[in-house]
Amino acid sequence: MAPEPNGLETSVTVANEEPPTPARDHAAAVEIVASLDRAAKVSLLSGSNMFEVRGLPDHGLDRIDVADGPHGLRHQARADGDHLGVGGSTPATCFPTAATLGSSWDTALVQRVGEAIGAEAAEQGVAVVLGPGLNIKRHPAGGRCFEYLSEDPFLSGKLAAAQVRGIQSSGVGACLKHFAVNNHESHRLIVDAVVDERTLREVYLTGFEIAVQESDPWTVMCAYNLVNGVYASEHHELLQEVLRDEWGFDGLVMTDWGAANDRVAGIEAGLDLEMPGNKGAWDAALLDALDRGDLSDEAVDRCAVRVVELLQRARREREPSDPDAHHALARTAAAAGSVLLTNAGVLPLAADATRIAVIGAFAEVPRYQGAGSSQVRPTRLDEVLDLLKARVGPGTEVTYAAGYDPETGDTTAGLRSEAMAAAAGADVVVFCGGLPAPMESEGFDRDTLDLPDGQVSLIEALAARPEPLVVVLSNGGVVHLPFADRVDALLECWLGGQAGVGGIVDVLFGDTDPGGRLAESIPEHVAQLPADRNFPGRPRQVEYREAHSIGYRFHDASGVPARFPFGFGLSYTTFDWSEVSIDGPDADVAVSVRVTNTGDRAGSDVVQVYVRPHGSSVPRPEKELKGFAKVHLEPGASETVTITLDRRAFAVWDVTAHDWLVEAGTYDVIVARSSVEPVAAFAHRVNSNDDVTPVAAAAGFVMDDAEFAERLGHPIPTLPPVRPYTRNSTLEDLEGTRIGRILGDRVAKIALQRATEEFPDPDAATLEMIRTAIREAPLRGLVLLSGGMFRFPALDALLSSLNGEHGDAARTAVDALKRKVRRS
């Protein structure tokens, strides 16, 4: 086996070492762009419709399709698609979400999932899959946590790189997103993430850096939000200095859908492609800027060349994929990401039990994916009841009671009574619960980590009975677990995709080992978390005053332990770790561990390596993950894993030097089963001539005003005034005006009408997402996401009227806008 970059050893074989895709030809791309006039170049820098990148047929380059796809393909093969997951899409395998894949800690498996997604994209003629997402889970209530991999940047980067390699092995591009610091959903298009430079580098950019350098993605998607006062879509430091100059990225940067704020500034900063298409909403402004000299032809040419290079790379031929094999892979991945949190010996279940009671509506109506742009139309969908009945022996009776409403989680006296009756006398009770879809989605954040009261009351009532109780959870984000000590087994399955319940049944009966280890800490209560003080922040600003103190970096240093720690997970078998050793000078270290399966079942284990400094001139986390390896072993089998640590594993970002520096001193290299379960620790001396700039530590885990300003290097930014209204004002801002209320009501009705036309009965999560997105989105979205229905002159006239500038032109434009809204 060859070591993977940054120390993770792997034996994965890429499906196609030479992807069946045309190569980029930079010289030819430059020549093509040079032959275009200004208008043609500018037109090339925005999509032709919702998911289509315009082509250059005169140069033999057809238009290409892109499609959402963090955990499966959401391909809308039509011009009037949508970016919120409202409309239908071509069926595709719905793999487990990133929350599940992250808990697998299995780069080889994640790469196989990527290969399958890439194969289905190639079959459907999709050139770029819009995923994976690897934003850090700063706070567990983030609405999009199900789409992200971990609270840790090293783990996120490694797994994202694996998925990108898998997708691109089929000659299809991947897209890392959302770059950067997009860690919650509330007011995501206008919020400014205020974060100090060191925290930005060490926590929020490191995962992207690993993925870019280890997988060479074709594209990167910028985030909606501002980062320290500058929109990510026009952030020169992030898009050019960091991404391209420092990390060596040579692909294309596109916007998230509707994220463009100032296209002139964006093009100068290195933003190549605006999506979706809007019939050239920015074209006139860009051509004027070129004429005035406010935008350089060189910047336009650079972006246009990268668009042409993407068109060159696009695979043209289609090959059929294997949906049955992909469904089986999805089932394997679901089990691999399921985390067994507690087990008093009731699991695995006995297949010859006399009676198994299944309680919970999710057994019949499975919760398997999140709402929003990643919502996949599955090729099939398994149900717990069906598979469980098929799995047990002929002498086993399976009884069922819904117990609660699957849309709300609420129970009633009647439902509760039915659940207790079904449980009475059973050999074991399996409760299937979790978060109903309306409680978590893209577009909004959760306001609590609690499960629905109805579910909790049912669990507590069942736990008080004599029958053994197994609780199986399906949720995209962490939840409070006040009952964990009162149930006989607790299995966290996250959102496992279309075959997720197959994975659940496999784990319940021991047909496979629960392979998951937590990729995010589960707190006793959310109020303990430093980030909770500033989550989601104010509509236009969120301050990252907790710096590094998120997840295990907080729990393991604060005396506030997690209820279930990062990296934790139980198995049905046992493992012995022996011959643990460390070798190598300074910051070039190899850690070796011999892992033996000492039980009577096949299973998997995860070797985790953390680095802990012995004192430092800068505040550092108590320890940080710097390496890991997953091993799969048959009973009695052994394997020696070697994990390498390089200079970066010991480095900190020095703001003064603007570089990664290593402080000389002693570091503990900790080999552990989780962040709190060390097996061995080695004091290792690292020599270095780097001069690390001292930084004062904050008094607590949440910086006060003075500490935060000092860490930022400037005063804390003040919030912008609501008035005068601008293109970045929201309908929420306008609710104090009559025109604003009328416009908001009308736009909401149009959007909801579209949703119900596409789906006569859209789920509550989708409706809430639409309402929130409309209310919190900037007014420029009326132009950028209208498909050309609205134009900037009409919007600017409306703003002039709202700001009291009641000229004839403004009134005429406002009247025209009202007529357009009414007609639509």
Side-chain angles (χ1 to χ4, degrees), residues 589-606:
V589 178
V591 179
S592 294
V593 185
R594 183 173 177 81
V595 182
T596 302
N597 183 346
T598 55
D600 58 1
R601 293 175 175 271
S604 61
D605 207 3
V606 179

Side-chain angles (χ1 to χ4, degrees), residues 693-717:
T693 307
V695 175
F701 290 97
V702 181
M703 289 180 275
D704 62 25
D705 287 355
E707 292 169 332
F708 192 45
E710 182 179 0
R711 194 69 63 86
L712 290 172
H714 55 75
I716 301 170

Side-chain angles (χ1 to χ4, degrees), residues 203-338:
V203 177
Y204 296 101
L205 296 187
T206 291
F208 284 96
E209 179 182 4
I210 292 170
V212 165
Q213 294 185 336
E214 294 190 8
S215 65
D216 192 22
W218 288 15
T219 67
V220 168
M221 182 187 293
C222 77
Y224 282 125
N225 51 282
L226 300 89
V227 180
N228 291 326
V230 181
Y231 270 99
S233 61
E234 56 207 51
H235 207 298
H236 186 273
E237 180 182 4
L238 287 177
L239 300 184
Q240 184 62 48
E241 296 173 26
V242 175
L243 181 62
R244 288 195 166 98
D245 298 342
E246 185 180 329
W247 297 349
F249 175 69
D250 65 354
L252 175 141
V253 176
M254 70 177 74
T255 66
D256 202 341
W257 267 231
N261 172 64
D262 180 335
R263 284 294 281 133
V264 173
I267 290 171
E268 288 286 0
L271 176 70
D272 305 310
L273 177 65
E274 177 206 7
M275 292 299 290
N278 46 50
K279 292 185 169 56
W282 294 101
D283 287 8
L286 292 177
L287 292 170
D288 287 346
L290 284 167
D291 289 339
R292 295 192 308 269
D294 295 335
L295 175 62
S296 68
D297 284 292
E298 292 77 13
V300 171
D301 287 355
R302 283 194 299 270
C303 294
V305 165
R306 288 191 281 256
V307 174
V308 171
E309 288 179 330
L310 180 64
L311 296 175
Q312 290 174 334
R313 300 175 91 168
R315 178 177 175 175
R316 309 301 174 189
E317 68 276 11
R318 301 189 183 194
E319 295 178 4
S321 63
D322 187 341
D324 293 334
H326 292 175
H327 186 79
L329 174 60
R331 183 167 177 163
T332 297
S338 296

Side-chain angles (χ1 to χ4, degrees), residues 360-407:
F362 283 2
E364 199 170 31
V365 185
R367 179 86 206 288
Y368 63 99
Q369 66 174 327
S373 60
S374 66
Q375 196 157 271
V376 177
R377 181 183 173 192
T379 57
R380 68 188 80 170
L381 185 60
D382 293 340
E383 294 181 8
V384 169
L385 274 178
D386 293 341
L387 293 182
L388 194 146
K389 289 176 180 177
R391 175 61 181 81
V392 298
T396 301
E397 178 187 4
V398 177
T399 58
Y400 167 72
Y404 59 84
D405 183 330
E407 284 293 311

Side-chain angles (χ1 to χ4, degrees), residues 366-531:
R367 179 86 206 288
Y368 63 99
Q369 66 174 327
S373 60
S374 66
Q375 196 157 271
V376 177
R377 181 183 173 192
T379 57
R380 68 188 80 170
L381 185 60
D382 293 340
E383 294 181 8
V384 169
L385 274 178
D386 293 341
L387 293 182
L388 194 146
K389 289 176 180 177
R391 175 61 181 81
V392 298
T396 301
E397 178 187 4
V398 177
T399 58
Y400 167 72
Y404 59 84
D405 183 330
E407 284 293 311
T408 65
D410 295 338
T411 191
T412 64
L415 288 171
R416 183 186 179 97
S417 177
E418 291 173 1
M420 297 304 114
D427 294 306
V428 65
V429 178
V430 177
F431 180 87
C432 298
L435 291 176
M439 294 185 70
E440 58 180 350
S441 169
E442 177 182 352
F444 60 88
D445 301 305
R446 287 187 286 159
D447 57 12
T448 179
L449 297 193
D450 292 343
L451 288 170
D453 290 343
Q455 288 192 25
V456 174
S457 67
L458 274 172
I459 292 171
E460 295 287 8
L462 290 167
R465 297 182 58 85
E467 298 85 5
L469 175 61
V470 176
V471 173
V472 178
L473 295 178
S474 299
N475 39 276
V478 163
V479 294
H480 289 145
L481 301 170
F483 47 80
D485 291 331
R486 294 186 291 280
V487 301
D488 297 281
L490 179 55
L491 182 65
E492 173 59 84
C493 298
W494 310 109
L495 298 178
Q498 67 180 50
V501 298
I504 289 172
V505 171
D506 290 342
V507 170
L508 287 177
F509 286 95
D511 297 328
T512 188
D513 194 52
R517 303 293 184 267
L518 289 177
E520 53 195 303
S521 310
I522 300 179
E524 194 75 50
H525 195 278
V526 68
Q528 299 172 324
L529 306 180

Side-chain angles (χ1 to χ4, degrees), residues 664-796:
T666 301
Y667 297 79
D668 285 338
V669 177
I670 304 168
V671 183
R673 299 182 188 275
S674 77
S675 69
V676 299
E677 295 178 84
V679 172
F682 302 89
H684 179 71
R685 177 71 188 180
V686 175
N687 298 305
S688 173
N689 294 321
D690 292 348
D691 187 12
V692 176
T693 307
V695 175
F701 290 97
V702 181
M703 289 180 275
D704 62 25
D705 287 355
E707 292 169 332
F708 192 45
E710 182 179 0
R711 194 69 63 86
L712 290 172
H714 55 75
I716 301 170
T718 58
L719 291 170
V722 174
R723 304 188 76 161
Y725 298 121
T726 70
R727 291 180 178 182
N728 282 325
S729 298
T730 64
L731 290 174
E732 181 180 39
D733 293 332
L734 268 57
E735 287 174 353
T737 69
R738 180 173 177 273
I739 294 177
R741 289 192 296 273
I742 293 172
L743 182 62
D745 289 344
R746 181 67 64 178
V747 172
K749 287 177 181 177
I750 292 170
L752 292 172
Q753 182 178 358
R754 277 199 67 182
T756 53
E757 285 175 353
E758 191 72 47
F759 285 113
D761 188 23
D763 61 69
T766 298
L767 294 176
E768 178 62 23
M769 176 183 60
I770 293 170
R771 294 188 189 99
T772 303
I774 291 168
R775 189 168 182 264
E776 296 181 355
L779 294 175
R780 58 184 158 85
L782 296 176
V783 176
L784 302 182
L785 297 172
S786 70
M789 181 183 297
F790 300 128
R791 314 300 285 179
F792 278 124
L795 175 59
D796 292 339

Side-chain angles (χ1 to χ4, degrees), residues 98-155:
T100 312
L101 294 178
S103 291
S104 76
W105 290 62
D106 193 332
T107 55
L109 176 64
V110 173
Q111 181 159 329
R112 287 172 59 202
V113 170
E115 290 168 0
I117 292 172
E120 293 189 12
E123 179 183 33
Q124 294 188 26
V126 171
V128 177
V129 175
L130 303 176
L134 65 155
N135 294 94
I136 294 298
K137 301 188 186 189
R138 172 180 177 248
H139 190 286
R144 223 165 170 177
C145 277
F146 67 90
E147 270 192 72
Y148 301 139
L149 292 159
S150 177
E151 69 186 31
D152 182 80
F154 185 86
L155 179 59

